[in-house]
Amino acid sequence: MSDFIHNGWSIFIAVVSLISILACLALLLLNSRGTVNTTAESTGHTWDEDLVEYNNPLPRWWLWLFIITIVFGLAYLVVYPGLGSFAGVSGWTSTRAYQDERMAADAQFAPLFEKHLAAEISTVAADPEARRMGERLFVNYCAQCHGADARGSRGFPNLTDGDWLYGGEPQTIKVTITDGRIGMMPPLGAALGEEGVTAVANYVLSLSGSRHEAGLAEKGKPLFAVCAACHGAEGKGNPALGAPNLTDQIWLYGGSLPTIVETITKGRNGQMPAHKDFLGAAKVHLLAAYVYGLSQAPSSGGSQGQ
């Protein structure tokens, strides 16, 4: 009911719900008069030559089954919420039930998480038990974007390749998980024009040694000055701003010429949600240790950068 700001809506919904239930009961009673009679008159509906529909009332057991469900529905609406803003005599809410379950789970499992909180993240990352706990947290809360193997996908960073937008130090990873990140690449299509965007895109490709047109790259070099404010004059990025390194052939959205042209023209927006309020300090610590450990093991590399 939070979407309805006027109390009249609550009354309207309650009245309509009750009238609908009572109308069903009235309909059942009106159509239950009489007794089952195999010699009753036909309704005139016949199928397959001899399959005739008779005008018989419902069997009594079937009628009472419907009545029991209606009584149950009315009793349910008295005990639990369902009639507009009426909360029910039990006072039950799904939000409170969820919070109670979380509190019970936290009371049971909090000691398991908190015993690792005092240790350094690098130390926790080397603990097999802590890594298993961190992996389960990752699968539950991070795999939706970064994938179960943490290798990411288009627009979602690979966490296993050692390439980081904001830095891969243990504390930096913890800050990222705790407070989240908001990344924004402004659209430059209007400022550079179509030819300018193509020239800058070729220059960006040249920075990583990717295939490009040398003439266009040369034209794009002075225009890259508008990008250098974030990516640096050499295109090596700036972790303080989350600006990616353009020289390492690791691309968040892809490194083809059309994709880079699209990025420069339209810009990009990305958000890593904050998890501090939802997970708490102990779980964030374990999760940061797990993510940190992913890039410390030998890896075959990847196509997306964090």
Side-chain angles (χ1 to χ4, degrees):
M1 292 301 298
S2 59
D3 294 334
F4 299 97
I5 58 176
H6 194 281
N7 290 334
W9 283 111
S10 175
I11 298 173
F12 173 78
I13 291 172
V15 170
V16 169
S17 299
L18 290 173
I19 289 176
S20 300
I21 295 174
L22 295 176
C24 289
L25 178 60
L27 183 63
L28 282 172
L29 295 176
L30 288 173
N31 286 276
S32 66
R33 295 175 180 177
T35 58
V36 176
N37 184 1
T38 58
T39 62
E41 294 182 358
S42 169
T43 61
H45 300 157
T46 304
W47 295 270
D48 293 337
E49 298 182 359
D50 60 352
L51 185 59
V52 180
E53 179 184 8
Y54 288 97
N55 188 21
N56 284 323
L58 288 172
R60 289 300 175 186
W61 67 268
W62 201 348
L63 172 67
W64 281 107
L65 185 62
F66 276 121
I67 292 176
I68 289 171
T69 59
I70 289 174
V71 172
F72 175 83
L74 291 172
Y76 183 94
L77 291 175
V78 171
V79 178
Y80 295 101
L83 291 176
S85 59
F86 176 61
V89 296
S90 68
W92 181 92
T93 66
S94 58
T95 301
R96 187 180 299 114
Y98 169 71
Q99 291 173 343
D100 291 344
E101 289 179 5
R102 280 198 60 188
M103 290 176 62
D106 288 342
Q108 181 179 356
F109 299 111
L112 299 177
F113 296 117
E114 291 176 354
K115 73 177 184 178
H116 299 287
L117 188 56
E120 295 290 335
I121 289 178
S122 56
T123 303
V124 177
D127 185 326
E129 179 191 17
R131 283 190 58 78
R132 286 193 296 269
M133 295 170 66
E135 182 179 18
R136 288 192 288 271
L137 290 171
F138 183 89
V139 170
N140 284 331
Y141 303 112
C142 310
Q144 294 85 346
C145 294
H146 296 283
D149 60 358
R151 293 185 179 276
S153 61
R154 189 174 189 269
F156 299 101
N158 182 347
L159 304 178
T160 69
D161 59 4
D163 188 87
W164 304 87
L165 288 176
Y166 294 92
E169 299 78 15
Q171 193 58 35
T172 302
I173 296 173
K174 186 173 182 178
V175 169
T176 297
I177 298 172
T178 301
D179 299 327
R181 300 285 187 183
I182 297 178
M184 195 269 290
M185 159 75 184
L188 298 173
L192 295 174
E194 185 176 347
E195 292 184 1
V197 167
T198 303
V200 171
N202 275 273
Y203 178 70
V204 169
L205 287 171
S206 73
L207 292 174
S208 60
S210 302
R211 180 180 297 181
H212 64 281
E213 293 187 28
L216 287 174
E218 191 64 28
K219 292 180 180 179
K221 184 175 182 179
L223 298 176
F224 185 79
V226 71
C227 312
C230 294
H231 295 281
E234 298 179 352
K236 293 185 178 295
N238 184 349
L241 300 175
N245 183 350
L246 304 177
T247 69
D248 57 6
Q249 292 192 343
I250 297 177
W251 306 93
L252 188 58
Y253 292 93
S256 66
L257 178 61
T259 300
I260 296 175
V261 166
E262 179 185 9
T263 298
I264 297 172
T265 302
K266 300 179 180 179
R268 299 288 185 185
N269 289 282
Q271 180 175 1
M272 158 74 182
H275 288 73
K276 59 182 177 182
D277 295 330
F278 185 72
L279 293 180
K283 291 181 182 178
V284 166
H285 195 75
L286 271 171
L287 193 51
Y290 175 75
V291 172
Y292 173 73
L294 289 172
S295 60
Q296 303 306 303
S299 172
S300 58
S303 60
Q304 311 294 325
Q306 165 67 19

